[in-house]
Amino acid sequence: MTSDHRGDYQELVDEISELLGAPATLENRDFELLAFGAYDSEGELDPSVLDPVRTRSILTRRSTAAVRAWFEGFGITRATGPVRIPRTPEAGVHRGRVCLPVRHRGVVLGYVWLLDYDPGPSEEQLDAAMGVTARIGALLADEAQHGADLTRELRAVLGAERDGQRDLAVAELRTALGSRADGPYTLVCVAPWPSADPEDAPSVRTVPGAAALCTLPWGAADVSLALLLRLRASDVLTPATTAAGRLLERARASGTGHRPAATGPATATPPVAAGIATPRFGLAGLGAAWNEASAAARAALAEPRLGPVAVWSSIGPYRLLAALPRQAAPDPAVGPLLLPVHRELARTAETYLDHAGQAGRTAAELGIHRQTLYYRLSRIEQITGLDLDDGEDRLLLHMALKAHRL
């Protein structure tokens, strides 16, 4: 039996929705959404079913800690049968709930949630639905057994500083994955991730195709999220772009960037982006794949037109620029142009070079007169000592300006 039961969960939730005549959702014991049904006997979904709690759960695929604590207060972690929870508008619960605990061998592994309605399901219907939850529990138990948390193993592979270290870590990860180690795989990098706390990371069970995930340092103060994703085919990246999009939603919903600044109060949420590596077979190339995924995420943050999800093969010159040391000093000729006082001149230079030195297109893009452009270009030459009619000087300036974005 495969350890990726995403389709099975959906089928079973749809079965419960049909049995009870109302939409149902399935969450694991950490309140992370695994599947949801949108059953409606009239053929049109009633907007009232989308109360704030259910809407957030579906959109972010996770409930808040406060919502979790509130529902657990009704004893759902200990219950062996349906638990009715009343509507509480002040808590964002505009519709009552029926919770069907999902258990396997006495251990609660998740919850099926039913929006209560009048007159509500009969005891016979609920008994039939509980029979389906037993099948869900068996699948969750199987997935937990075969899809153990490989956070430590993946972090060891991606964080290794020497080839010998990485080889040992790869061997350990390969052993843990067993027959699933052959691939094809890709790596996804989401950065900056809102928290280094493992409790704030999503479960691999909520990301279709996920084999492992972990957080890793990202710059001096931030962290990134690394996702090892199995693909059905090496030339189809749709599962990776879909997973990256969901993780970006999760990061934004979790308040990425709302951290205290080093010299002041919290600032507005900065961008967050994702990068996807070239698919590979097996695990030997994970170190290089992580470099590609990280570089693609950096490129998407530096150049918004590439993101918010960028694939390594599509980031153009940033493939070369990302290989430069992250803390490398700026080129001595271009360095003065990168000072804050010359920000507008630097933008002018980059736009001019992006447009292949065509003055008319550059002036139009910047919204300035040609004579103003020519004056700025002469100032750029004075500050840098570079000749903008010289191909190598133009190449140096263009590379330095793009590298500065990273």
Side-chain angles (χ1 to χ4, degrees):
M1 182 182 292
T2 177
S3 63
D4 186 0
H5 298 299
R6 200 67 42 201
D8 298 323
Y9 294 146
Q10 188 61 57
E11 289 180 8
L12 292 171
V13 167
D14 289 342
E15 183 176 342
I16 291 176
S17 296
E18 290 290 338
L19 277 172
L20 301 179
T25 59
L26 170 64
E27 295 178 334
N28 64 17
R29 60 186 165 199
D30 296 321
F31 282 58
E32 293 174 319
L33 185 69
L34 301 181
F36 65 92
Y39 174 87
D40 179 43
S41 60
E42 300 300 324
E44 183 178 348
L45 187 64
D46 182 354
S48 68
V49 305
L50 296 175
D51 66 22
V53 169
R54 187 172 193 265
T55 300
R56 177 185 170 87
S57 175
I58 292 175
L59 293 180
T60 69
R61 308 193 76 81
R62 193 182 203 188
S63 295
T64 66
V67 167
R68 173 178 174 174
W70 190 80
F71 280 124
E72 287 179 343
F74 289 90
I76 62 175
T77 60
R78 303 180 301 276
T80 57
V83 178
R84 293 187 180 274
I85 297 172
R87 65 185 293 270
T88 311
E90 59 269 25
V93 180
H94 293 178
R95 292 278 298 273
R97 302 288 203 277
V98 177
C99 176
L100 308 180
V102 177
R103 309 183 82 88
H104 183 75
R105 295 182 177 176
V107 177
V108 65
L109 299 177
Y111 308 98
V112 170
W113 297 95
L114 166 71
L115 290 165
D116 210 353
Y117 58 94
D118 190 24
S122 67
E123 292 301 318
E124 290 77 10
Q125 287 176 303
L126 289 174
D127 286 344
M130 286 301 296
V132 180
T133 67
R135 290 151 57 195
I136 295 174
L139 293 179
L140 284 169
D142 176 79
E143 189 163 13
Q145 180 180 358
H146 292 90
D149 184 3
L150 301 179
T151 296
R152 181 183 64 83
E153 289 82 354
L154 182 61
R155 183 178 288 118
V157 172
L158 303 184
E161 297 181 355
R162 298 190 301 274
D163 290 342
Q165 273 184 326
R166 180 169 286 114
D167 291 343
L168 290 173
V170 167
E172 189 173 352
L173 180 59
R174 184 180 293 113
T175 298
L177 287 171
S179 61
R180 298 178 294 150
D182 294 333
Y185 280 104
T186 190
L187 274 169
V188 178
C189 171
V190 181
W193 190 251
S195 172
D197 187 343
E199 293 295 322
D200 293 330
S203 165
V204 292
R205 293 190 294 273
T206 64
V207 184
L213 55 81
C214 68
T215 54
L216 292 164
W218 179 266
D222 291 313
V223 296
S224 60
L225 183 78
L227 169 68
L228 178 63
L229 191 77
R230 298 188 304 277
L231 300 173
R232 295 185 181 275
S234 61
D235 58 346
V236 179
L237 280 176
T238 304
T241 55
T242 299
R246 288 181 178 177
L247 290 172
L248 286 175
E249 291 177 2
R250 169 77 174 271
R252 294 175 184 129
S254 298
T256 297
H258 287 285
R259 294 178 296 275
T263 57
T267 58
T269 303
V272 57
I276 301 174
T278 302
R280 287 166 168 78
F281 286 91
L283 305 177
L286 288 187
W290 177 240
N291 290 337
E292 292 178 2
S294 299
R298 290 174 61 198
L301 288 168
E303 192 69 71
R305 65 179 175 80
L306 297 175
V309 178
V311 178
W312 162 256
S313 60
S314 302
I315 61 174
Y318 288 102
R319 292 198 296 270
L320 293 175
L321 297 174
L324 298 173
R326 296 188 69 165
Q327 302 303 322
D331 180 83
V334 183
L337 188 65
L338 301 178
L339 295 174
V341 68
H342 296 315
R343 183 177 292 111
E344 193 59 38
L345 289 178
R347 176 170 171 260
T348 298
E350 187 171 1
T351 304
Y352 177 70
L353 296 169
D354 284 346
H355 287 84
Q358 297 183 31
R361 290 176 59 197
T362 303
E365 175 73 18
L366 295 173
I368 60 176
H369 193 275
R370 279 201 188 200
Q371 291 303 316
T372 302
L373 172 64
Y374 293 140
Y375 169 75
R376 290 184 183 180
L377 294 177
S378 67
R379 286 283 294 131
I380 291 165
E381 290 183 324
Q382 292 172 7
I383 292 168
T384 62
L386 299 175
D387 181 357
L388 293 181
D389 289 329
D390 182 89
E392 289 192 357
D393 281 4
R394 286 164 68 146
L395 176 61
L396 171 62
L397 179 58
H398 209 179
M399 288 177 60
L401 289 169
K402 295 294 185 187
H404 183 63
R405 284 183 176 272
L406 292 173

